[in-house]
């Protein structure tokens, strides 16, 4: 059970949050121009890294804001949290 | 005093007698006893039968590691509890305990025959035997296995006890109240840190508190005396919370820990009443110090499981702590020095004791002490067999060969009534590994010790691999001070004298003269796994410790292998010829000791189990005899039976009334999202498949929402309340997820849109009136309103006032009838509803529930998302092409609608089904086949909705069928258990295809 530092509310228990999977996957601006393979890449392909992973989290039972989090999946160490639209930190 | 209560101690109050029963017979113990010590004081060793071979078993330890002495506590149907360790239960007046896994009685157990046929039931017996013949499984094997499975009996009535949860925060949490935990807690608390010390026993002190031996001296006092003083000082500290009878269950990441406190388990029956039984502490600690101690290892030799074979340090605890002797003629069998402390204690109390040691010599103080007392020691020897069926009577020992791999010389028989065994110590690294910590293997004494890497927790004392008193005290002091950043004070100047062990020897499986296949050297006592089972698993090709564990069930009993895991690993390593450290360990999972379900759920039982959502009209439904169904957390009226109607009869009546005159439905539970902002129309364009920009103010439109993969996600009617203001409705169950999904797109993909979403589901109550007379009823309710089709057409909304209450009236229909939905603020919901009922009385307005709603919409061919769809249906599959805009450049899921998979023509598609016999009602979920004779049968689809329609007077069904779009008129079959039902594919709109009713 992590303690997550919501960029809007501060430190809160993990039970207030939900994880939205890999971060920085941008929805294509012109989906109609993509091939099936390219669209499938966006739609289905997600990394499952043992190590540092960039993730989307939602403070679902709090401010309801989405934000990004850098977490090492091998030891659950949280390296950084940052707001949507902000540049990912170099880890 | 009984024959075996030979010593007075300060921990057991021998002036306070406590009576209890075991297997129906009454016994006496004293306040401070455990069930185990009380039984031993009465000379009772035989406590239960083993799981597989039904061998007699006795008390083996004095703590949570106990594999054998597990009992059934209480004999009533609600409070009875199986698999309780006699070593952990504190004795109270009126305690009723009984043995488990024996029939007809503990002393004469029919299952004991398994012991005789044991050569035929090796490891993997079940997997190998119950494979064939296949037909035997259901009638013979399964009932047989069920009969022999399990140990105790579950209660059959609900648990009447109260359980509690509590959250706690602290600077430092110390796990374990032994000497290292006490030192740690004192250092932390004295430095102004809010500290919690938890200890699973009823008093602090661990094994040092009864260490009354002159070889163990701290600051010129015997170590137990010194610790006693420390504890009384500790109890004076303000910022220290001491929680005894509290055991750690789980150590999660970020120092989040669960601990279970026993509050009233130890109280006499008449004092338990009304008290909370157990409390689960949820602790978030800044720093955690684990001082969990170590568990003594058994030794693995032939017939090492008889009652009266007990771990050596446990023998010492029964003697020095409880004042109970486990035997009057003791033999100690050891590979290390710690058992000599037991020998000295026994000798000092005048009890006969001899020692068998596998080592050639030992030069420590404690061994010299034993030798000086004249205790007979058999060096370089091992036990090769034991005798005595229900209690040990004698042992046979032999000399070990030079390298210890074999035995030599003659067998020597020695009489005894108790055999104390010690195979060294295993640090309790469970907490450390649960929190994500790693382990190193220490060759010299063959133990896994924690690798310190975390900044947030440390291990001290014997759970860290420090076994000698001097290292425990000094290392704990140094480590804790460094960990907590403390420079001054502590225990820097302490002087410790102790016996030090220099000769170490370990043999995981002790040699014997007879072949392994004829011995029973138990490793896992509770699951009856022996050394030969492990070797068999290896011969059969299992290599990983995790596989061997599951194949032999070693370490899988209720004790979770606390005594057995290390020996299993050691024997695997020796047999496979690899280094033990390279094998790794099995995973230590929480909880450390079993938790009651009561402690886990706490107060969330009965009506507090889950949130219940009720509409403001709920009371009326209850008064009018509604039966309810759960939709998500909502209670929705299911049907309203009159005069003992069953579901079918009530639904037939309700649906007929709704079509013939008027029906009324509480639609308040539908999800409602208020959407505002200058980009609201554009937002709806992107989230729904159809176009929204041209929807006029005051108009309503049905929308279908997809996932990005093109599959239908939710649906509902959205009303344009103003230029930049919409009210969206969602399915009852989908409301929260839809809002969350919309927020996700707004915040992460389209932050440039000016849109604000607010959930208003609970803000409004909705009465939906439908049927040919609905317009007349509305006119009575709102006399000043023009309800003509011109003034108030289908799919539009208007504001109105009733009794000064503002309403929104939407003319929309989910039933195919002329229909109005009246929305008011929730607090007026019931009054609105009652007004509607009163106004509708002359038209026999009939309240209907969800079941009738489902029937009515099925007649009309309207889908229910989640019933007729399952996350694999596109709008095209549902034959709803009309709702998918071809003009819009993009919307969620659009691109997926022409992926190679979604354009397949043989996808499952929505169709109607008519049974050849119009009175036959299909079962929802039933499979549909094309050919009956073909094997294997191709299942081409399934029934999603099925009803008997009173309005059409025949059975109707919706189904999804592969390539169904092109199958109209096709004969198909629905095979059931006892018959095949013939069906024909039809249109899925069964009633009023040209919408005459809606526009009536």
């Amino acid at each position: 059970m992590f303690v997550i530092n919501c960029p809007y509310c501060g430190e809160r228990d993990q039970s207030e949050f939900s994880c939205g999977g890999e971060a920085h996957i941008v929805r294509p601006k012109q989906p109609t121009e993509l091939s099936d393979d390219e669209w499938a890449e966006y739609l289905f392909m997600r990394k499952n890294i043992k190590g540092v992973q960039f993730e989307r989290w939602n403070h679902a039972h709090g401010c309801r804001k989405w934000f990004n989090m850098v977490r090492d999946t091998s030891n659950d160490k949280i390296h950084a949290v940052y707001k949507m639209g902000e540049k990912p930190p170099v880890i | 005093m009984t024959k075996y209560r030979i010593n007075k101690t300060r921990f057991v109050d021998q002036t306070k007698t406590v009576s209890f029963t075991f297997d129906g017979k009454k016994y006496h113990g004293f306040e401070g006893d455990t069930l185990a010590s009380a039984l031993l004081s009465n000379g009772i060793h035989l406590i239960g039968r083993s799981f597989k071979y039904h061998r007699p078993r006795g008390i083996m330890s004095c703590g949570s590691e106990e594999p054998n002495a597990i009992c059934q506590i209480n004999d009533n149907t609600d409070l009875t509890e199986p698999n309780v360790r006699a070593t952990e239960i504190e004795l109270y007046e009126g305690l009723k305990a009984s043995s488990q896994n024996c029939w007809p009685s503990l002393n004469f157990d029919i299952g004991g025959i398994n012991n005789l046929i044991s050569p035929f039931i090796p490891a993997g017996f079940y997997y190998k035997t119950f494979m064939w013949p296949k037909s035997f499984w259901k009638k013979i094997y399964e009932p047989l296995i069920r009969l022999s499975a399990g140990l105790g009996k579950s209660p059959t009535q609900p648990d009447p006890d109260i359980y509690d949860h509590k959250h706690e925060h602290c600077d430092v949490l110390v796990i374990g109240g032994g000497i290292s935990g006490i030192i740690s807690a004192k250092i932390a608390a004295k430095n102004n840190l809010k500290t919690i010390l938890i200890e699973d026993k009823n008093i602090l002190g661990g094994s040092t508190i009864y260490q009354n031996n002159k070889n163990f001296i701290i600051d010129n006092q015997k170590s137990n005396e010194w610790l006693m003083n420390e504890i009384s000082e500790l109890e004076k500290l303000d910022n220290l919370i001491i929680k005894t009878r509290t055991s750690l269950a789980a150590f999660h990441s970020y120092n989040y820990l669960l601990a279970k406190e026993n509050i009233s388990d130890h109280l006499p029956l008449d004092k338990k009443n009304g008290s909370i039984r157990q409390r689960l502490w949820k602790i978030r600690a800044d720093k955690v110090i684990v001082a969990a101690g170590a568990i003594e290892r058994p030794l693995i030799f032939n017939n090492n499981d008889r009652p009266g074979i007990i771990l050596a340090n446990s023998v010492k605890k029964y003697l020095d702590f409880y004042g109970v002797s486990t035997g009057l003629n003791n033999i100690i069998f050891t590979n290390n020095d710690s058992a000599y402390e037991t020998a000295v204690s026994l000798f000092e109390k005048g009890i006969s004791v001899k020692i068998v040691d596998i080592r050639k010599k030992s030069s420590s103080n404690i061994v010299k002490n034993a030798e000086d007392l004249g205790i007979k020691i058999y060096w370089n020897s091992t036990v090769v067999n034991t005798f005595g069926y229900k209690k040990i009577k004698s042992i046979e020992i032999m000399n070990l060969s030079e390298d210890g791999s074999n035995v030599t010389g003659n067998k020597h028989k020695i009489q005894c009534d108790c055999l104390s065994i010690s195979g060294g110590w295993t640090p309790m690294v469970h907490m450390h590994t649960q929190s994500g910590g790693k382990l190193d293997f220490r060759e010299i004494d063959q133990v896994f010790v924690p690798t310190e890497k975390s900044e947030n927790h440390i291990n001290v004392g014997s759970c860290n691999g420090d076994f000698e008193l001097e290292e425990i005290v000094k290392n704990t002091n140094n480590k804790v001070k460094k960990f907590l950043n403390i420079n001054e004070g502590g225990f820097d100047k302490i002087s410790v004298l102790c016996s030090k062990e220099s000769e170490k020897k370990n043999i995981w499986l002790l040699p014997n003269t007879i072949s392994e296949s004829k011995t029973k050297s138990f490793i896992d006592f509770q699951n009856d796994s022996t050394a030969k089972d492990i070797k068999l698993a290896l011969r059969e090709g299992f290599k990983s410790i995790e596989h061997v564990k599951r194949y032999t069930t070693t370490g899988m009993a209720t004790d979770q292998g606390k005594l057995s895991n290390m020996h299993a690993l050691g024997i695997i390593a020796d047999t496979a010829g690899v280094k033990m450290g390279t094998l790794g360990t099995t995973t230590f999972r929480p909880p450390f000791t079993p938790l009651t379900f009561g402690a886990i759920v706490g107060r969330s039982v009965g009506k507090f189990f889950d949130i219940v959502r009720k509409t403001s009209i709920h009371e009326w439904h209850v008064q009018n005899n509604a039966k309810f169904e759960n939709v998500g957390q909502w209670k929705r009226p299911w049907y309203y039976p009159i005069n003992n109607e069953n579901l079918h009869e009530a639904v037939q009546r309700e649906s007929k009334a709704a079509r013939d005159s008027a029906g009324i439905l509480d639609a308040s539970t539908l999800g409602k999202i208020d959407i505002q902002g200058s980009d609201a129309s554009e937002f709806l364009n992107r989230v729904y498949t159809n176009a929204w920009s041209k929807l006029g103010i005051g108009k309503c439109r049905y929308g279908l929402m997809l996932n990005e993969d093109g599959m239908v996600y939710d649906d509902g009617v959205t009303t344009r309340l103003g230029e930049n203001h919409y009210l969206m409705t969602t399915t009852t169950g989908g409301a929260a997820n839809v809002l969350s999904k919309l927020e996700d797109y707004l915040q992460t993909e389209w932050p440039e849109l000016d849109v604000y979403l607010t959930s208003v589901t609970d803000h409004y109550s909705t009465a939906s009136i439908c049927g040919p007379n609905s317009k007349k009823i509305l006119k009575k309710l709102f006399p000043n309103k023009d309800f003509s089709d011109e003034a108030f057409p289908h799919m539009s909304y208007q504001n109105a006032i009733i009794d000064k209450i503002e309403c929104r009236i939407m003319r929309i229909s989910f039933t195919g009838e002329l229909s109005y939905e009246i929305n008011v603020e929730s607090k007026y919901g019931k009054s609105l509803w009652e007004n509607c009922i009163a106004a509708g009385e002359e038209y026999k307005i009939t309240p209907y529930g969800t079941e009738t709603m489902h029937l009515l919409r099925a007649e009309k061919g309207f889908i229910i998302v989640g019933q007729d769809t399952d996350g694999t249906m596109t709008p095209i599959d549902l034959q709803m092409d009309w709702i998918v805009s071809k003009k819009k450049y993009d919307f969620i899921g659009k691109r997926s609608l022409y992926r190679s998979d979604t354009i397949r023509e043989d996808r499952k598609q929505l169709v109607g089904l008519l049974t050849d016999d119009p009175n036959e009602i299909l079962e929802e979920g039933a499979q549909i086949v094309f050919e009956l004779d073909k094997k294997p049968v191709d299942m081409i689809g399934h029934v999603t909705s099925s009803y008997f329609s009173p309005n059409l007077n025949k059975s109707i069904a919706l189904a999804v069928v592969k390539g169904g779009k092109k199958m109209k008129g096709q004969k198909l079959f629905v095979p059931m258990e006892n018959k095949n039902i013939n069906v024909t594919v039809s249109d899925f709109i069964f009633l009023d295809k040209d919408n005459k009713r809606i526009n009536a």
Side-chain angles (χ1 to χ4, degrees):
Chain A
M1 284 280 256
F2 318 151
V3 174
I4 296 174
N5 190 10
C6 170
Y8 302 91
C9 308
E11 288 191 344
R12 294 289 190 279
D13 194 274
Q14 186 188 340
S15 57
E16 294 184 13
F17 298 84
S18 62
C19 180
E22 191 183 343
H24 302 297
I25 293 175
V26 180
R27 188 173 189 272
K29 288 273 177 273
Q30 296 172 317
T32 47
E33 284 163 31
L34 300 182
S35 69
D36 270 10
D37 284 351
E38 286 165 333
W39 179 246
E41 185 68 30
Y42 159 72
L43 198 55
F44 301 121
M45 296 308 176
R46 297 292 182 271
K47 289 188 195 112
N48 187 12
I49 298 165
K50 184 179 181 183
V52 174
Q53 173 138 328
F54 292 73
E55 296 172 333
R56 287 151 29 90
W57 283 77
N58 183 14
H59 196 181
H61 300 286
C63 64
R64 289 205 344 227
K65 282 284 193 185
W66 284 88
F67 59 93
N68 290 320
M69 186 161 114
V70 189
R71 180 175 68 104
D72 189 326
T73 59
S74 71
N75 57 16
D76 288 335
K77 190 173 156 62
I78 297 170
H79 290 285
V81 288
Y82 54 101
K83 293 178 181 173
M84 282 292 161
E86 288 179 358
K87 272 197 167 172
V90 181
I91 303 292
Chain B
M1 268 208 285
T2 56
K3 186 176 164 192
Y4 296 96
R5 184 81 65 172
I6 60 150
N7 190 12
K8 277 204 161 65
T9 73
R10 68 182 97 191
F11 310 107
V12 173
D13 187 348
Q14 297 194 9
T15 63
K16 290 184 182 153
T17 306
V18 177
S19 62
F20 66 101
T21 65
F22 179 68
D23 276 344
K25 204 176 158 201
K26 195 166 180 180
Y27 298 97
H28 296 284
F30 297 115
E31 203 171 289
D33 263 327
T34 60
L35 176 59
S37 68
L39 286 167
L40 288 170
S41 77
N42 286 283
I44 296 170
H45 281 257
L46 177 60
I47 306 290
R49 292 278 179 158
S50 71
F51 179 55
K52 190 169 163 188
Y53 303 129
H54 290 251
R55 284 168 70 102
R57 291 283 166 79
I59 295 157
M60 207 179 155
S61 72
C62 58
S64 66
E65 70 273 34
E66 176 61 40
N68 289 338
I70 53 176
C71 301
Q72 186 92 26
I73 300 294
N74 292 322
D75 57 0
N76 44 8
T77 50
D78 52 359
L79 285 169
T80 191
E81 192 177 358
N83 301 345
V84 177
R85 289 166 296 279
T87 52
E88 286 199 307
I89 185 139
E90 291 178 49
L91 202 65
Y92 57 83
E93 184 65 37
L95 171 68
K96 287 180 183 169
S98 52
S99 50
Q100 297 184 162
N101 207 36
C102 51
W103 185 86
S105 76
L106 177 59
N107 273 302
F108 177 73
D109 177 14
I110 292 279
I113 196 159
N114 284 4
N115 190 35
L116 303 175
I117 61 163
S118 62
F120 307 106
I121 44 177
F125 168 72
Y126 290 83
Y127 309 126
K128 290 164 184 162
T129 310
F130 298 124
M131 296 281 292
W132 46 262
K134 211 173 154 188
S135 59
F136 271 39
W137 178 253
K138 204 164 182 182
K139 293 268 161 64
I140 297 171
Y141 293 150
E142 192 185 324
L144 256 177
I145 292 171
R146 285 197 184 281
L147 203 66
S148 61
L151 290 166
K153 287 192 192 78
S154 317
T156 52
Q157 298 289 314
D159 188 345
D161 279 329
I162 304 166
Y163 300 82
D164 209 11
H165 282 183
K166 195 165 178 184
H167 290 266
E168 185 63 90
H169 295 80
C170 62
D171 296 320
V172 180
L173 174 70
V174 182
I175 303 164
I179 185 166
S180 52
I182 287 166
I183 290 172
S184 307
K186 192 173 175 192
I187 295 173
K190 280 209 149 193
N191 281 276
N192 290 325
L193 295 166
K194 182 185 171 189
T195 306
I196 301 176
L197 170 64
I198 62 170
E199 161 60 43
D200 70 338
K201 299 283 190 303
N202 58 335
I203 60 161
L204 297 179
S207 60
T208 310
I209 203 73
Y210 55 90
Q211 179 61 288
N212 181 23
N213 186 298
K214 63 175 185 182
N215 290 293
F216 300 89
I217 302 293
I218 304 176
D219 281 350
N220 302 318
Q221 301 170 70
K222 278 188 180 168
S223 56
N224 61 335
E225 303 288 346
W226 179 86
L227 193 61
M228 214 79 79
N229 293 333
E230 284 298 315
I231 292 170
S232 49
E233 274 190 47
L234 205 62
E235 283 162 352
K236 293 176 201 151
L237 295 175
D238 284 340
N239 47 348
L240 173 68
I241 301 169
I242 299 173
K243 284 258 150 240
T244 52
R245 297 191 175 98
T246 303
S247 56
L248 195 83
F251 187 169
H252 296 296
S253 57
Y254 287 73
N255 282 358
Y256 181 72
L257 301 99
L258 301 176
K260 181 199 69 179
E261 181 184 11
N262 272 333
I263 295 175
S264 63
D265 269 350
H266 61 289
L267 296 177
L269 284 179
D270 56 343
K271 291 194 180 145
K272 285 185 206 287
N273 280 346
S275 158
I276 293 164
R277 184 185 171 204
Q278 295 172 343
R279 177 176 288 140
L280 192 70
W281 290 78
K282 302 175 171 186
I283 306 167
R284 186 75 78 168
D286 191 38
K287 307 263 181 190
V288 174
I289 299 172
V290 185
I295 287 178
E296 192 165 25
R297 293 174 178 174
L299 287 163
I300 311 300
F301 53 93
N302 189 25
N303 290 321
N304 59 343
D305 66 325
R306 299 192 189 284
I309 301 183
I310 307 175
L311 294 170
N313 191 266
S314 300
V315 169
K316 183 166 186 287
K317 181 163 185 184
Y318 286 119
L319 190 64
D320 292 341
F321 190 95
Y322 299 106
V324 175
S325 169
T326 50
L328 302 175
N329 185 16
N330 279 264
I331 298 172
I332 288 174
F333 180 28
T334 184
N335 69 359
N336 69 90
D337 282 354
S338 67
Y340 286 75
E341 297 164 25
T342 305
V344 171
S345 265
L346 286 165
F347 185 90
E348 284 172 349
K349 271 106 207 155
I351 298 168
S352 149
V353 59
K354 301 183 182 75
I355 299 174
V356 179
D357 195 324
I358 71 166
R359 298 172 299 175
K360 287 176 182 161
K361 67 175 176 92
S362 175
S363 45
S364 64
N365 292 346
I366 185 77
V367 173
K368 189 157 185 315
N369 185 186
E371 283 173 330
D372 290 348
L373 294 171
I375 296 172
K376 168 77 181 160
I377 303 171
Y378 300 89
W379 292 108
N380 194 32
S381 300
T382 180
V383 177
V384 291
N385 207 354
T386 66
F387 304 92
Y389 185 57
K390 287 174 195 162
K391 171 92 186 281
I392 189 158
K393 284 185 183 141
S394 62
I395 62 168
E396 273 178 354
I397 66 168
M398 288 179 79
N399 279 334
L400 282 164
S401 66
E402 188 57 33
D403 63 353
S405 68
N406 225 321
V407 280
T408 61
N410 295 326
K411 280 182 190 158
H412 178 56
K413 198 161 188 166
I414 318 174
Q415 306 296 318
C416 64
D417 63 355
C418 177
L419 178 66
S420 313
I421 54 175
S422 177
W425 294 84
T426 299
M428 285 291 92
V429 295
H430 299 62
M431 310 306 163
H432 174 75
T433 55
Q434 274 183 25
S435 76
K438 301 275 179 279
L439 301 173
D440 285 330
F441 188 66
R442 193 165 76 190
E443 283 290 340
I444 180 148
D445 51 356
Q446 309 265 294
V447 292
F448 284 98
V449 290
T451 312
E452 300 289 5
K453 281 229 175 86
S454 169
E455 298 154 16
N456 302 316
H457 88 263
I458 53 166
N459 300 273
V460 297
S462 55
C463 75
N464 195 41
D466 291 346
F467 293 135
E468 279 162 8
L469 190 63
E470 188 177 356
E471 17 169 52
I472 289 172
V473 173
K474 298 205 161 157
N475 291 352
T476 300
N477 177 52
N478 294 339
K479 276 187 86 167
V480 169
K481 283 176 71 179
K482 196 174 157 207
F483 179 57
L484 301 178
N485 250 327
I486 294 165
N487 299 318
E488 301 298 313
F491 295 80
D492 289 349
K493 288 174 188 151
I494 203 162
S495 84
V496 183
L497 296 174
C498 66
S499 172
K500 291 185 181 176
E501 181 177 279
S502 48
E503 286 81 6
K504 295 186 194 293
K505 183 172 188 174
N506 183 40
I507 302 172
W508 291 113
L509 174 58
L510 292 155
N512 211 313
T513 49
I514 43 177
S515 82
E516 230 155 57
S517 63
K518 294 193 174 117
T519 62
K520 278 211 181 64
S521 310
F522 287 92
I523 293 174
D524 185 321
F525 293 82
Q526 197 175 119
N527 268 353
D528 273 353
S529 314
T530 61
K532 71 173 177 237
D533 292 329
I534 302 250
K535 295 203 169 183
L536 177 74
L538 290 170
R539 279 202 303 280
E540 292 189 356
F542 294 95
K543 290 194 178 79
S544 150
I545 171 68
E546 297 283 6
H547 290 151
V548 173
K549 167 182 164 173
R550 280 155 185 83
Y551 191 60
T552 62
T553 70
T554 302
M556 291 174 68
T558 62
D559 59 341
Q560 290 283 290
K562 291 188 180 74
L563 292 183
S564 58
N565 283 343
M566 287 304 123
H567 295 87
L569 271 176
I571 291 169
I572 294 170
D574 286 351
T575 310
V578 296
K579 282 205 181 281
M580 190 160 156
T582 62
L583 286 173
T585 62
T586 54
T587 313
F588 300 106
R589 290 190 183 85
F592 177 64
T593 50
L595 271 181
T596 57
F597 282 113
I600 293 168
V601 297
R603 305 263 173 154
S604 305
V605 291
K607 61 180 177 178
F608 302 115
F609 181 68
D610 196 9
I611 292 164
V612 173
R613 298 174 81 182
K614 295 173 183 168
T615 73
S616 60
I617 310 163
H618 188 83
E619 274 309 300
W620 190 93
H621 304 318
V622 172
Q623 283 159 12
N624 286 272
N625 200 27
K627 300 277 181 235
F628 290 91
E629 84 167 326
N630 296 328
V631 183
Q633 290 166 329
W634 286 104
K635 293 272 175 215
R636 294 198 72 178
W638 188 16
Y639 60 105
Y640 298 82
I642 296 175
N643 302 332
N644 300 322
E645 279 175 331
N646 63 22
L647 170 68
H648 178 75
E649 289 158 354
V651 168
Q652 296 292 304
R653 174 182 51 76
E654 289 171 13
S655 14
K656 198 99 178 71
R659 292 246 185 259
D660 292 348
S661 178
I664 181 166
L665 172 85
D666 181 357
S668 311
T669 62
L670 284 186
K672 294 179 271 292
I673 300 171
D674 183 272
I675 302 173
Q676 299 191 44
S678 57
D679 293 316
S681 302
E682 171 59 18
F683 180 66
L684 290 175
N685 270 334
R686 296 187 192 185
V687 300
Y688 278 132
T689 60
N690 47 351
W692 290 80
S693 309
K694 288 183 187 151
L695 183 70
I697 294 170
K699 300 289 180 198
C700 314
R701 184 166 284 174
Y702 173 75
L704 201 58
M705 199 182 288
L706 309 185
N707 256 333
E708 204 69 272
D709 61 5
M711 304 303 157
V712 172
Y713 183 70
D714 203 84
D715 68 346
V717 170
T718 295
T719 304
R720 188 164 196 177
L721 301 174
E723 176 63 27
N724 296 321
H725 190 184
Y726 290 84
L727 181 68
M728 174 188 277
T729 61
T730 72
T731 58
T732 298
N737 290 336
V738 169
L739 180 66
S740 164
K741 178 182 152 101
L742 298 183
E743 278 287 354
D744 186 358
Y745 275 91
L746 262 185
Q747 289 180 34
T748 67
E749 297 296 348
W750 309 318
E752 71 279 6
L753 293 185
D754 174 38
V755 177
Y756 301 89
L757 306 174
T758 311
S759 168
V760 292
T761 304
D762 297 279
H763 300 42
Y764 299 105
S765 285
T766 310
S768 172
I769 301 177
C770 80
N773 287 322
S774 57
K775 192 179 282 185
K776 293 174 194 152
I777 297 168
L778 266 282
K779 271 186 186 153
K780 277 179 75 179
L781 286 164
F782 304 95
N784 302 325
K785 196 95 202 152
D786 182 357
F787 284 97
S788 68
D789 287 345
E790 297 72 40
F792 199 159
H794 183 53
M795 296 308 271
S796 67
Y797 115 91
Q798 295 199 6
N799 290 316
I801 303 244
I802 182 169
D803 292 346
K804 295 182 188 164
I805 302 163
E806 287 180 19
C807 312
R808 284 179 186 148
I809 307 173
M810 277 89 171
R811 183 175 163 186
I812 54 179
S813 176
F814 189 44
T815 59
E817 288 300 316
L818 173 67
S819 173
Y820 297 89
E821 292 192 357
I822 312 168
N823 291 273
V824 291
E825 269 186 67
S826 280
K827 57 186 168 186
Y828 304 123
K830 189 154 169 260
S831 107
L832 168 74
W833 181 272
E834 282 164 350
N835 277 333
C836 294
I837 296 284
E841 202 177 351
E842 64 177 293
Y843 304 101
K844 294 201 168 62
I845 192 167
T846 302
Y848 66 90
T850 49
E851 193 65 21
T852 293
M853 175 185 80
H854 286 179
L855 190 158
L856 295 173
R857 64 88 209 178
E859 290 178 334
K860 183 66 183 164
F862 289 153
I863 58 152
I864 291 182
V865 173
Q867 175 157 347
D868 303 296
T869 72
D870 59 1
T872 66
M873 303 296 287
T874 69
I876 318 300
D877 298 337
L878 294 169
Q879 307 211 41
M880 290 173 80
D881 311 45
W882 54 272
I883 204 172
V884 180
S885 164
K886 303 225 165 26
K887 289 184 194 147
K888 282 201 293 184
Y889 181 71
D890 193 13
F891 55 82
I892 296 171
K894 177 177 169 109
R895 173 62 185 83
S896 292
L897 293 179
Y898 53 94
R899 289 176 55 238
S900 59
D901 185 58
T902 43
I903 56 171
R904 276 190 300 116
E905 291 194 351
D906 63 343
R907 289 177 64 82
K908 282 187 182 171
Q909 291 148 351
L910 187 75
V911 295
L913 283 187
L914 292 173
T915 47
D916 289 4
D917 171 1
N919 290 315
E920 180 88 62
I921 306 171
L922 296 170
E923 268 187 40
E924 287 175 0
Q927 296 292 328
I928 299 163
V929 304
F930 188 66
E931 288 171 278
L932 277 175
D933 305 331
K934 194 179 162 222
K935 283 190 177 169
V937 181
D938 284 327
M939 285 172 284
I940 59 169
H942 64 273
V943 178
T944 59
S945 298
S946 172
Y947 308 91
F948 185 83
S949 160
N951 301 302
L952 300 162
N953 204 22
K954 64 180 178 186
S955 149
I956 56 166
L958 298 176
V960 290
V961 174
K962 276 184 190 168
K965 265 187 206 179
K966 290 182 180 163
M967 278 193 182
K968 204 171 286 178
Q970 176 73 49
K971 296 274 181 196
L972 298 173
F973 306 96
V974 177
M976 301 303 292
E977 204 172 353
N978 47 11
K979 63 180 169 188
N980 296 309
I981 302 171
N982 296 345
V983 296
T984 308
V985 177
S986 72
D987 197 324
F988 58 81
I989 303 173
F990 300 99
L991 181 115
D992 191 29
K993 216 175 164 184
D994 39 11
N995 289 337
K996 282 194 182 130
R997 286 169 170 266
I998 281 179
N999 296 314

